[in-house]
Amino acid sequence: MTGVYQPRGRFITFEGGEGAGKSTQVRSVAIFLERKGIDFVLTREPGGTSGAEAIRELLVTGSPARWDSTVEALLNTASRRDHVERVIRPALEKGRWILCDRFLDSTMVYQGYAGGIQIADLERLTAFAIGTLKPDITFILDIPVAEGLARTKRRRGHENRFENREDEFHEAVRIGFQKIAQRASQRCVLLDATQPEETVTHRITSIIQEKFLIDV
Ligand code: TMP
């Protein structure tokens, strides 16, 4: 037998409501992996390919009433299909790691728990689009709604379609993520995002070290 054993890359996702600090944490984890010599791709959803970024523009701009939850689920899933097939799956197969700012749990929460679509319908749609692919670990950043929204007001440009939803929607998003963290407790880690940025980063990188990098 010939051939060198090449482990499949690790698939790590970051989730949470608005202003929870996901993007900052993804960047800090990227620096950590760089120092460890890990080959990774930093990406996001909706987005991550040129086609998926075009779909993102449709989703995150305009008034909240521009699309209903069903259209949002279809657009997010279409963009995910493109992203998975062109970027995520090929990278994992080559042994590269993926750091992804939002993934499937965002659809389950924003369009499902908060948006009113049945979770079973979203599961069928997902199976059709991407099969059974799942992250190896998901970090869910939890923050009170008012605090998160106050953070986004300080930085946000034109991508504010979801931030402009009513407070009840954002509360439902927070509860939805907490529910996922509980139901998928093997895969998900719920983190208190009101803690200092460095504390949250340290917790995340310690978990990654322990789970995936014992020897590095
Ligand atoms: P971002 O601001 O974290 O980049 O995410 C863009 C917005 O898209 C955010 O408000 C959450 C929303 N979203 C969904 O509603 N469903 C999804 O499946 C994804 C990936 C994002």
Side-chain angles (χ1 to χ4, degrees):
M1 289 283 280
T2 55
V4 178
Y5 169 70
Q6 189 174 31
R8 176 182 167 277
R10 301 296 182 176
F11 182 16
I12 304 176
T13 60
F14 298 79
E15 299 278 7
E18 309 302 321
K22 288 175 294 90
S23 311
T24 310
Q25 291 302 331
V26 178
R27 281 195 297 273
S28 301
V29 174
I31 292 168
F32 168 79
L33 291 186
E34 233 159 52
R35 291 199 183 121
K36 296 279 177 185
I38 302 287
D39 185 14
F40 66 90
V41 178
L42 194 165
T43 187
R44 70 169 179 182
E45 288 205 349
T49 66
S50 59
E53 289 289 335
I55 296 174
R56 177 189 176 93
E57 185 70 15
L58 291 172
L59 276 161
V60 300
T61 62
S63 77
R66 185 179 190 187
W67 314 112
D68 68 15
S69 297
T70 303
V71 177
E72 287 172 5
L74 292 166
L75 289 174
N76 272 302
T77 305
S79 74
R80 183 161 305 127
R81 160 79 190 174
D82 197 54
H83 189 211
V84 164
E85 294 308 315
R86 290 178 198 263
V87 175
I88 297 179
R89 233 190 273 281
L92 292 174
E93 278 163 12
K94 284 189 196 118
R96 304 183 79 192
W97 290 33
I98 297 284
L99 296 181
C100 193
D101 186 342
R102 293 197 188 279
F103 191 64
L104 177 59
D105 295 314
S106 281
T107 305
M108 295 299 170
V109 167
Y110 280 81
Q111 283 68 56
Y113 292 120
I117 308 239
Q118 294 295 313
I119 297 298
D121 287 337
L122 293 175
E123 282 171 349
R124 273 197 295 276
L125 183 62
T126 299
F128 170 65
I130 63 163
T132 56
L133 179 72
K134 277 223 163 64
D136 294 298
I137 192 164
T138 298
F139 294 100
I140 298 179
L141 301 180
D142 180 61
I143 191 167
V145 168
E147 203 172 322
L149 287 176
R151 287 189 192 174
T152 67
K153 295 253 152 47
R154 290 198 289 272
R155 60 146 217 254
R156 190 59 74 147
H158 73 301
E159 287 196 343
N160 55 10
R161 191 173 153 262
F162 284 93
E163 282 86 337
N164 290 339
R165 296 289 302 255
E166 62 283 17
D167 286 353
E168 297 72 46
F169 181 83
H170 295 292
E171 290 293 348
V173 165
R174 185 178 186 206
I175 291 166
F177 277 123
Q178 291 171 347
K179 213 178 273 179
I180 287 185
Q182 221 172 29
R183 289 194 180 160
S185 59
Q186 295 278 60
R187 171 176 64 87
C188 297
V189 181
L190 189 69
L191 298 159
D192 176 2
T194 63
Q195 293 196 311
E197 195 183 303
E198 310 74 49
T199 310
V200 178
T201 305
H202 184 257
R203 177 94 203 283
I204 296 173
T205 54
S206 304
I207 293 169
I208 292 174
Q209 176 75 43
E210 198 179 304
K211 265 184 95 85
F212 305 131
L213 292 171
I214 304 288
D215 306 327
V216 184

